[in-house]
Amino acid sequence: MSIMTMRRVTLAGLAADKDAVLEQLQQLGCMHLVELGAHPREPERTPSPHALEARKALRHLREVPDKRRQVREPTDFDLAATITQVLDNQQRLRDISDRRDALRQRLAELEPWGEFSLPEPAALAGRKLWFYILPLRQLDALARLELPWQIVHRDHRQAWVVVIAEREPPADALPVARTHTGAFSRSEVARRLERAEIELEAVIAERHALTRWIYLLSSHLAEAEDQAGLNYARAQTYDDEALFLVQGWVALEDCPGVQALADQLGLALLLEAPGADDQPPTRLDNPAPVAAGQDLVGFYQMPAYRSWDPSRVLFFSFTLFFAMILSDAGYALVLGAALALGWRRLGRSETRGRLRLLALALCGGALLWGILVGSYFGVTPAPDGLLGQLRVFDLDDFATMMWLSVAIGVLHLVLANVERALSSAPGAERRIALAWIAALLGGFALWSGTGPSGPLWLATLGQWLLGGGLIALFTLGSDRPIRSPTSALLRVLDGLRQLVRVTQAFGDVLSYLRLFALGLASASLALTFNELARDVQQGQPGLGLLLSILILLVGHVLNLALCLMSGVVHGLRLNFIEFYNWALAGEGYPFKPFKKTELSE
């Protein structure tokens, strides 16, 4: 569980060599850049570290269902020109679609008015036509109108009225606002709509033809990403007339490579350890089998640089929680079969490979726990059989399962405080973590020992641990020196503030009961579908067999989907909410190296 040690690296060189140096740094790929350049007056013009236009163009083409034969020979391929052409097609497609939709709406609005063209002003002696759509229940308003009017169309709800007036009638002349019909007749709008449809077909055909470049765009996307990253790096440097400076964070183990690069290019190099006020990025380093844990960490909250790495804890605790919520070996086998079918496809990238190992751990843990609780698609094996003899826990034994869930919760929070104590500097934060370890273990021992079969010594030990932990929280939970009555009062308030967290600790421990509750719900729902299928089969011979099979398939698929959702959501929630609240203080930001991009096809 390691957060890699960082060094601040500053490189100085001649301005003429800036591009060459940045290209070499990108090739080295181990520096997290720090902004040294002046903030631009227009931040939106700051270069993006990613090839957004290339990705947008590729996404536009990949959405086409039937693609053309792919061009694989890059001899005449111009990446920049192709991206421009595709994005131009995307914009024209959007503009013409919007115009087509607006014309369709206008044509529908003109339909009740019929075919007409607005007359010239002299034809009506300077008067104009004003259009209204009036609800039938308000037609009596026309009788009070002193201007000439005519109903040109009517349906069961409203009437289309034309009023003749030199100027627009007052707003209160009719109970509705006037309607804008536009300057074009219905036939002219129809002609324009037809032309828009033809233009749209041509643009769609052009888009379809452009799909032949998807392969080359994909294979050259890394090139576009590298160029975008290089442009972004240029904006991060400090530039003088003759010199430039580039600065960033580098892991301690990568510093020799940077030193060799500086010697090779004749650059000035400065290596510095992080200062007390510095906040370096967090770079996690974990063995390959459990490296997916750091993906889980990055998904929610990256720990601060001076904190600790919870990746391995999250990997194993999430596996345990998922298994307890699933609580069925049959479902675990189904998930394992699905994982086996997609095993090769999931290994095409480094990230997918890590998540593949996490999925394997989840399936394996769920299978083991399902065997221990003796549940196979909701069926419990006979006690005298092999599977029955492997059964250790009974989900219907509420007392034992509740005790086990609470024990897991206490140990999880104790582990969080142990790690926090180890990663904290000597002081109040470390003493608080140690006090909470004693309080949590003491509370659990007191609860376990006060039962009918609980040993007296355990309850006594729990009282001492709980009491000692709470006293330590009140007396040692602050580093505030006592120099006056006011500071003494504030020290007391600090202690009380620590004791208030007793309710939070109690609630967090009880949150782990969801492991038992959701596991029991999963098993109960599976059992319910089994019984329902059996009753249907027995009640309707012949057809009942088919219906029972359908009930089993639909029911177990639905239950498995609910279990998956619950296992992921609640399994992560117990880590990210309850565990993180006690384990981590402060939030960091991830290490993002300036490096060449490797993209799979």
Side-chain angles (χ1 to χ4, degrees), residues 237-250:
T237 61
Y238 174 81
D239 299 302
D240 196 77
E241 293 182 358
L243 300 174
F244 80 95
L245 295 178
V246 59
Q247 191 176 88
W249 294 102
V250 175

Side-chain angles (χ1 to χ4, degrees), residues 51-63 67 70-74 77-87 207 209-225 597 599-601:
L52 301 180
E53 291 187 345
R55 291 185 178 275
K56 188 188 301 182
L58 195 56
R59 184 167 58 249
H60 177 62
L61 296 182
R62 281 177 171 168
E63 291 174 353
K67 301 174 179 60
Q70 296 300 298
V71 177
R72 297 180 178 269
E73 177 56 49
F77 177 69
D78 188 332
L79 177 63
T82 303
I83 291 174
T84 301
Q85 187 179 5
V86 173
L87 294 181
R207 181 188 184 187
L210 287 171
T211 58
R212 70 185 64 199
W213 302 112
I214 289 178
Y215 173 80
L216 290 178
L217 274 174
S218 301
S219 59
H220 286 72
L221 185 57
E223 176 186 338
E225 285 283 337
T597 305
L599 295 176
S600 58
E601 179 183 343

Side-chain angles (χ1 to χ4, degrees), residues 331-551:
Y331 291 164
L333 289 174
V334 171
L335 295 178
L339 177 61
L341 292 176
W343 185 261
R344 286 189 176 181
R345 186 170 57 183
L346 289 174
R348 291 179 180 176
S349 67
E350 182 181 355
T351 301
R352 288 184 178 181
R354 293 197 300 263
L355 295 179
R356 181 176 66 175
L357 292 177
L358 175 62
L360 180 62
L362 294 177
C363 294
L367 178 62
L368 177 60
W369 179 254
I371 293 174
L372 293 179
V373 297
S375 180
Y376 301 84
F377 296 107
V379 177
T380 302
D384 53 348
L386 175 61
L387 295 180
Q389 294 176 0
L390 294 175
R391 185 184 183 192
V392 177
F393 299 101
D394 184 1
L395 289 176
D396 292 329
D397 185 357
F398 289 4
T400 300
M401 296 306 298
M402 288 178 63
W403 182 89
L404 180 61
S405 300
V406 171
I408 291 174
V410 169
L411 293 177
H412 203 216
L413 299 187
V414 165
L415 178 59
N417 282 282
V418 168
E419 293 292 350
R420 187 162 182 174
L422 293 175
S423 62
S424 301
E429 186 173 351
R430 176 175 293 182
R431 295 194 299 269
I432 290 171
L434 294 174
W436 275 117
I437 294 173
L440 288 168
L441 291 176
F444 180 69
L446 179 61
W447 175 64
S448 301
T450 53
S453 58
L456 181 60
W457 66 267
L458 186 60
T460 304
L461 177 62
Q463 291 176 354
W464 282 100
L465 285 175
L466 179 60
L470 296 180
I471 292 173
L473 284 173
F474 180 73
T475 58
L476 303 176
S478 175
D479 285 328
R480 188 189 304 274
I482 301 177
R483 296 192 179 97
S484 65
T486 301
S487 60
L489 177 61
L490 292 176
R491 181 67 178 261
V492 171
L493 292 177
D494 289 340
L496 292 176
R497 183 167 57 87
Q498 295 299 329
L499 290 179
V500 167
R501 294 193 69 191
V502 170
T503 57
Q504 179 187 350
F506 183 73
D508 287 346
V509 169
L510 291 185
S511 290
Y512 288 81
L513 288 174
R514 72 186 66 228
L515 298 174
F516 161 59
L518 292 171
L520 180 63
S522 167
S524 300
L525 194 56
L527 180 61
T528 300
F529 283 120
N530 291 340
E531 293 178 348
L532 181 60
R534 185 181 63 250
D535 293 343
V536 169
Q537 180 185 8
Q538 294 176 353
Q540 296 183 3
L543 181 61
L545 177 60
L546 177 61
L547 293 177
S548 64
I549 294 175
L550 290 176
I551 291 173

